[in-house]
Every structure is written in structure tokens, then in C-alpha cells.
């Protein structure tokens, strides 16, 4: 709501604020207009006929010390002496408003106009026609809309709105106004003066494709709608689900239903039999859509694995970043396979395609990329940023029983730390009644070549004993090591 002013104990509303000007000349006009409006709202306190007191405005503008030479010049051209003490009091009161306006302009803060319309700079607003219900007192034009077009109707010198029609007088729900000479609050009345020409009928009024004018409209999904290139900003563009903003408003990739029409190729990609925005167009983790089959690992990329509910016959793997942790790709038949924790449906052949997806520890190991986790699994390591393309776990602390040594970031790295490292932790068990993911035992053995250990390994392997009885196993060669002291304290 508009700030309240008090004249001799009685509250008086300030007139609706117009948008803050972006040029000195426009700023001067905006400040002076605000002061005139305030002077008029004060009635006889300003002395005589309020319509004759606009001569106070230049003096107030000069008094508030606006830095613009345009304001000073205007004040000089129209300076008049104040004849009465009442006029002096009026000047002081109006100067408060002038100062507030000048301060708002200097700070670059857009003020709010009547009707709750979004405030924009005067220069910008003059070049853009307003939507239905939007303020058009500067541009004096409206976007196409309604059954017969929209007309810019004036309320007063500071507000006008794009509507189908307008009735003179006080409109229902009006809250702005001023006090008359008797101290009565009077609501603003609409003059309904027509500013500019009426716009054309809205695209939605055309029912057939042949009637939909392609000069300003487009036919999509069996309906005529505003062409995307008619929206000058991202806000208006985003309001139309058939459009997308990529530096300019254009038809959304999702509106194209064939691979040949999926354009432009630098913005759209044909994937899973539909046209969608390419992963390379999303620059933040929040905007990277998993629903499109994309994953975030420092940048938005196409996920090489499938999410639950997707056909995984071609990928043969389940995506940990999109809900497939602990799942395996099981085939139903030759036409469908999906990621499941277990396959026990009698209507499925349950052929396993690929390996079970590991549970993510929520961190990255030493020397690996930590772009997605922003956390390292090793103590003494941090998730550091090398540049805009790589983030990895690097060691910054080496701790022994006796000494803690700090290690600098590698040469050439930016030095920014995105996360630390943590110690071992216990994985929480499955809750009561929940499915258990299952376990497998992995074992390994190290033996010394050309030693008696080789024969022991061969016997165990032949009998499927020792590590060879595990679900998975590996053997490694060892070597003789030199003796040394242990740092045990």
C-alpha cells in the first residue's frame, strides 16, 4: 500500500507512484509530477485553487537538490515567489515527497504503481506494449488480447490500464485517493480517456488453423496462440508453456513432434522419441532436468544409464543419480526391461542385463571428481575446484601420530573449497517391513610369486575354498618389502 502522509493530524495518501525514470529528463518530469499531485491533494492548505498551485513544483524540485541539470534548468525557468505562509508550509510538505522520489530514483529502485502492475523503467516501458490489466500510461498501447482487442484507458495522469472496456467514475475495489478541503477521503475516479489505438483481437479467439494469422500468432496443439517471438522478455515468455526463453523467446522444443522438425539443433535434441531441450543448455544443477534423462556431475549431461520406469535394454545399467541405486536392469521379454531391486514376477523372464548399481556413499574418493557430491570420503581431503570444468578430491592435510602437515592445493587450481572429507560411518539398516537390498561377499588374496604361497592358492582355487568361495574374488601379486618402524606412538 502507498505510504501515508499526515497533514495537521489527518492522514493523506500519496498518489500512486509512477515507474522510476531511467534518464535525467524523465526523472525530472517524474519528480515534478509527483509534487504537483501531492500539492493538489492538500487542497486549500496550499492556498486558493489547487489547480493553480502547480507553480510550487519547480521550487520543490530545486529544494530537494536533484543532481540533474535538467531539473535545475526547469526550476530556473519557472521559479516564482511564494506569496503566503500557507504556500511555504505547502512547499515544505511537498519537499518531503520530492526528496523521497529523488532518493528512490538515485537508488535505482523501481516504485510501485497503482493496480499492482510490475514497475519498469520509463524508457523501457515506453517501448513495450502492456498486457491485459497492465499499466499503459507511458506506452499508450496494449498487447493483442480479448475478443475484440484491448484499449488503453486512463485513470489519471499517472495510471492507465489495458482493458476491454472502461466505465467512468470510481471502480469497485479502488483504494487510492486523496483528502478534499473538508478532510473527507475521496477515492480516485477513472476518466476512461482512450490513449492510443485499440489492439487486435487475441490469437485464442481464432478457432481454425486457417483463421490463425501467422503474422502474429502460431498454431500449436490444435489451438491458435500468441507467437513466441512476440514476447519481449523472459517473464512473458515463461507464461506460455509452448515457448522457451534462450536469450530470446522461441518455440519450445517440446512442441515439435518429429525428428526432422526438432529445431534448432543447437537448442533441441531428439531423445526417446520426443523433442526436448538439450542438456548443454542447462547451466545449473537446479535447472538440469532428471525427467529428461539428464544428470548433474559438475555440468548437465546425458545420463548413460536408465532411471526406474525407463526401458534399460540398451543402457543395461541403472542410474544412481536418478533413483536407481541398488537396482539391476531385469528383462521382462524381448521388448521391455526395467530397473528393479529384485525380480520375482512370474510374467517376467528376469534375465539380468548388466550389474547391480552400487549404493553411493554420498562422497567421492581420493583423486576422483566430486562435482556431484561436494564431499570426499577420505579424512584429510577436500573437494577442491580446479577450474570451471573440474572439481576433485585432493589431500590438504597429512596427519600422523606426531605431526599434522598441511598440504597446499595443487599448482594451477583455483583454491576454492567446495566441501570437506569425512571418516567411516555406519550405513543405516533397512527399516521394519522394508525390502532389504541384499549383500554380496567380495574377497581378495595377495601371494608372493615363486614361493610356497602359489601352491596354497592353487589348492584353494581348485576346491573353491578360501576367497574362491566368495561371490566375487581377485588375486594380486605381492613383493618383499624393506623393514621399517611403525608410526604407532
Amino acid at each position: 500500500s502507498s505510504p501515508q502522509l499526515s497533514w495537521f493530524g489527518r492522514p493523506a495518501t500519496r498518489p500512486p507512484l509512477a515507474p522510476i525514470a531511467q534518464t535525467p529528463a524523465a526523472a525530472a518530469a517524474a519528480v515534478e509530477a509527483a509534487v504537483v499531485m501531492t500539492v493538489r491533494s492538500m487542497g486549500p492548505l496550499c492556498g486558493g485553487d489547487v489547480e493553480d498551485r502547480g507553480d510550487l513544483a519547480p521550487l520543490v524540485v530545486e529544494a530537494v537538490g536533484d543532481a540533474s541539470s535538467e531539473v535545475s534548468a526547469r526550476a530556473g525557468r519557472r521559479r516564482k515567489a511564494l506569496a503566503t505562509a500557507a504556500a511555504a508550509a505547502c512547499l515544505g510538505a511537498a519537499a518531503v515527497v520530492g526528496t523521497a522520489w529523488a532518493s528512490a530514483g538515485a537508488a535505482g529502485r523501481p516504485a510501485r504503481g497503482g493496480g499492482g502492475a510490475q514497475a519498469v523503467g520509463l524508457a523501457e516501458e515506453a517501448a513495450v506494449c502492456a498486457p491485459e490489466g497492465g499499466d499503459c500510461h507511458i506506452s499508450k498501447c496494449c498487447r493483442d488480447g480479448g475478443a475484440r482487442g484491448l484499449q488503453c484507458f486512463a485513470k489519471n495522469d499517472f495510471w492507465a490500464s489495458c482493458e476491454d472496456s472502461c466505465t467512468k467514475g470510481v471502480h469497485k475495489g479502488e483504494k487510492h485517493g486523496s483528502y478534499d478541503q473538508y478532510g473527507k477521503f475521496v477515492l480516485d475516479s477513472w476518466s476512461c480517456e482512450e490513449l492510443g489505438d485499440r489492439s487486435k483481437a487475441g490469437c485464442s479467439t481464432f478457432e481454425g488453423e486457417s483463421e490463425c494469422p501467422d503474422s502474429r500468432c502460431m498454431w500449436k496443439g490444435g489451438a491458435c496462440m500468441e507467437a513466441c517471438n512476440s514476447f519481449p522478455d523472459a517473464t512473458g515468455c515463461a507464461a506460455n508453456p509452448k515457448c522457451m526463453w534462450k536469450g530470446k523467446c522461441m518455440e519450445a522444443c517440446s512442441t515439435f513432434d518429429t525428428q526432422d522438425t526438432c529445431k534448432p539443433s543447437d537448442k533441441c535434441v531428439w531423445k526417446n522419441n520426443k523433442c526436448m531441450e538439450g542438456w548443454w543448455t542447462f547451466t545449473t544443477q537446479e535447472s538440469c532436468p532428471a525427467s529428461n534423462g539428464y544428470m548433474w556431475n559438475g555440468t548437465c549431461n546425458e545420463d548413460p544409464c536408465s532411471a526406474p520406469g525407463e526401458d534399460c535394454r540398451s543402457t543395461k545399467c541403472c542410474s544412481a543419480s536418478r533413483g536407481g541405486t541398488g537396482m539391476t536392469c531385469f528383462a521382462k521379454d524381448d521388448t521391455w526391461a526395467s530397473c528393479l531391486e529384485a525380480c520375482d514376477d512370474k510374467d517376467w523372464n528376469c534375465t539380468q542385463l548388466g550389474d547391480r548399481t552400487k549404493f553411493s556413499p554420498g562422497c567421492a574418493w581420493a583423486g576422483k571428481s566430486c562435482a556431484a557430491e561436494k564431499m570426499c570420503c577420505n579424512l584429510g581431503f577436500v573437494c577442491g575446484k580446479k577450474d570451471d570444468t573440474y572439481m576433485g578430491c585432493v589431500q590438504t592435510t597429512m596427519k600422523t601420530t606426531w605431526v599434522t602437515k598441511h598440504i597446499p592445493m595443487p599448482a594451477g587450481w583455483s583454491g576454492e573449497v567446495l566441501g570437506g572429507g569425512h571418516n567411516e560411518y555406519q550405513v543405516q539398516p533397512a527399516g521394519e517391513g522394508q525390502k532389504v537390498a541384499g549383500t554380496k561377499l567380495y574377497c581378495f588374496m595377495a601371494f608372493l610369486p615363486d614361493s610356497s604361497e602359489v601352491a596354497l592358492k592353487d589348492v584353494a582355487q581348485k576346491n573353491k575354498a578360501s576367497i574362491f568361495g566368495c561371490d566375487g574374488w581377485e588375486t594380486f601379486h605381492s613383493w618383499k618389502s624393506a623393514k621399517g618402524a611403525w608410526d604407532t606412538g
Side-chain angles (χ1 to χ4, degrees), residues 197-211:
D197 298 325
R198 180 175 285 270
S199 66
K200 297 177 181 179
C203 297
S204 60
T205 60
F206 300 99
E207 298 181 353
E209 184 174 3
S210 60
E211 302 171 1

Side-chain angles (χ1 to χ4, degrees), residues 159-231:
W159 182 260
S161 180
C162 287
E163 308 290 347
D164 176 71
S165 60
C166 182
T167 302
K168 292 184 178 181
V170 178
H171 286 186
K172 183 178 180 179
E174 181 64 67
K175 297 180 180 179
H176 295 95
S178 59
Y179 285 91
D180 64 13
Q181 56 185 327
Y182 303 107
K184 181 180 179 181
F185 186 74
V186 180
L187 292 172
D188 285 346
S189 178
W190 284 70
S191 70
C192 289
E193 177 187 356
E194 295 183 2
L195 306 179
D197 298 325
R198 180 175 285 270
S199 66
K200 297 177 181 179
C203 297
S204 60
T205 60
F206 300 99
E207 298 181 353
E209 184 174 3
S210 60
E211 302 171 1
C212 186
D214 57 11
S215 60
R216 60 187 180 90
C217 306
M218 63 180 186
W219 185 264
K220 287 288 182 181
C224 186
M225 59 187 66
E226 283 190 86
C228 295
N229 59 16
S230 68
F231 294 99

Side-chain angles (χ1 to χ4, degrees), residues 276-309:
M276 60 182 68
E277 292 180 63
W279 56 87
W280 59 90
T281 66
F282 300 99
T283 57
T284 64
Q285 185 171 359
E286 292 72 22
S287 65
C288 185
S291 59
N292 284 8
Y294 302 158
M295 59 180 287
W296 183 266
N297 58 358
T299 58
C300 191
N301 289 284
E302 186 176 17
D303 195 335
C305 296
S306 303

Side-chain angles (χ1 to χ4, degrees), residues 344-350:
D344 52 10
D345 193 320
K346 63 180 182 179
D347 295 326
W348 287 51
N349 65 39
C350 291

